[in-house]
Amino acid sequence: MVPDPFAARFCREFPAGGVIFRETEPGARMYVIQRGRVRLSRRFASGERTLATLGPGEFFGEMAILNERPRSATAVALDDVQAMELDARTLEGMMARSGEVAMRLVRRLAMRVESSNSFVEILMQSDPRARVVLAIARAAEESGERVPEGLRVPGGVASLAAELGLPVEIVTEVIAGLLRVRVLRSDAEGRWIVSEPQRLRTFVELLGSAAPRRD
């Protein structure tokens, strides 16, 4: 996103498990990940849920300096993380000097809004099975790692259950069913592999539960 000398100047290191910032704290800086992964989570009435897992090239914390409001999520380093730490003045200077940087930020923000809308639609599903299947399809499309067999999905049963606000037992049962019908596969390390996200969406249609709940 920016030249390496610039990255080195603003570089910060966070150890695995370290809290980068907490929800509701005031924030004056955003971060661009250079190495490692960061989990964003938020507290709800039903408990804490994972909002996203971000990797190199992704940024987070930008809303606190764009709208001057408290942090809307907690950011935790899943690995040893290296990230650029930028304040509002530095970000404004980057955008003023480089139209490319400005456009990349706008595109990322647009993608973030689209992803949030997609997640809301998933949570509106009345059938918990549909929520699980659609959440895996979304994860594959947005952050799946390309492997010969398809897209390897980050996360696991516990994190997916927390994200969707569902009991681990229900998520485990749905995953087992997807593996049985081979819509989903598992690699040697137990991570999920999606050959075609559209097959998962078709599977939801077969469940007859794709329509949003209307209260």
Side-chain angles (χ1 to χ4, degrees):
M1 188 173 182
V2 291
D4 288 341
F6 188 94
R9 178 184 173 190
F10 293 93
C11 181
R12 285 285 309 277
E13 304 277 349
F14 301 95
V19 177
I20 301 172
F21 56 71
R22 295 186 184 279
E23 183 180 353
T24 73
E25 287 181 347
R29 292 172 175 81
M30 65 173 288
Y31 300 86
V32 182
I33 303 172
Q34 303 296 300
R35 184 183 69 240
R37 296 173 302 148
V38 172
R39 178 172 67 92
L40 300 180
S41 63
R42 187 173 181 181
R43 293 191 304 271
F44 293 89
S46 57
E48 187 175 25
R49 297 188 189 179
T50 297
L51 301 177
T53 299
L54 307 178
E58 297 282 352
F59 61 81
F60 61 98
E62 74 284 351
M63 296 310 296
I65 64 175
L66 290 177
N67 60 20
E68 299 182 347
R69 292 183 179 180
R71 300 291 189 188
S72 61
T74 296
V76 175
L78 294 178
D79 313 304
D80 290 337
V81 168
Q82 182 183 79
M84 285 191 299
E85 185 179 67
L86 308 174
D87 60 18
R89 179 175 296 181
T90 303
L91 178 62
E92 290 173 4
M94 289 169 55
M95 295 178 66
R97 290 191 300 269
S98 172
E100 180 183 359
V101 170
M103 284 305 301
R104 287 189 182 184
L105 179 62
V106 170
R107 290 193 191 102
R108 290 292 179 99
L109 290 174
M111 290 172 61
R112 193 77 55 83
V113 171
E114 183 178 355
S115 177
S116 296
N117 290 340
S118 173
F119 184 60
V120 169
E121 290 177 3
I122 289 172
L123 294 180
M124 289 176 65
Q125 297 295 323
S126 59
D127 188 336
R129 298 173 300 170
R131 286 189 230 169
V132 174
V133 176
L134 291 174
I136 295 174
R138 171 177 174 262
E141 292 168 343
E142 295 187 359
S143 56
E145 176 189 358
R146 177 63 65 180
V147 294
E149 299 84 0
L151 294 167
R152 184 158 53 199
V153 180
V157 170
S159 60
L160 183 58
E163 179 180 8
L164 299 175
L166 294 173
V168 171
E169 295 77 13
I170 290 180
V171 176
T172 300
E173 180 181 346
V174 175
I175 296 297
L178 294 174
L179 292 171
R180 278 197 304 270
V181 298
R182 304 186 70 81
V183 177
L184 189 69
R185 298 178 60 186
S186 179
D187 65 11
E189 299 177 4
R191 291 175 295 186
W192 305 323
I193 296 178
V194 178
S195 57
E196 299 177 25
Q198 185 55 43
R199 289 187 63 193
L200 288 173
R201 299 187 183 280
T202 301
F203 188 78
V204 169
E205 294 175 4
L206 294 176
L207 290 175
S209 308
R213 181 180 64 206
R214 299 184 184 280
D215 296 326

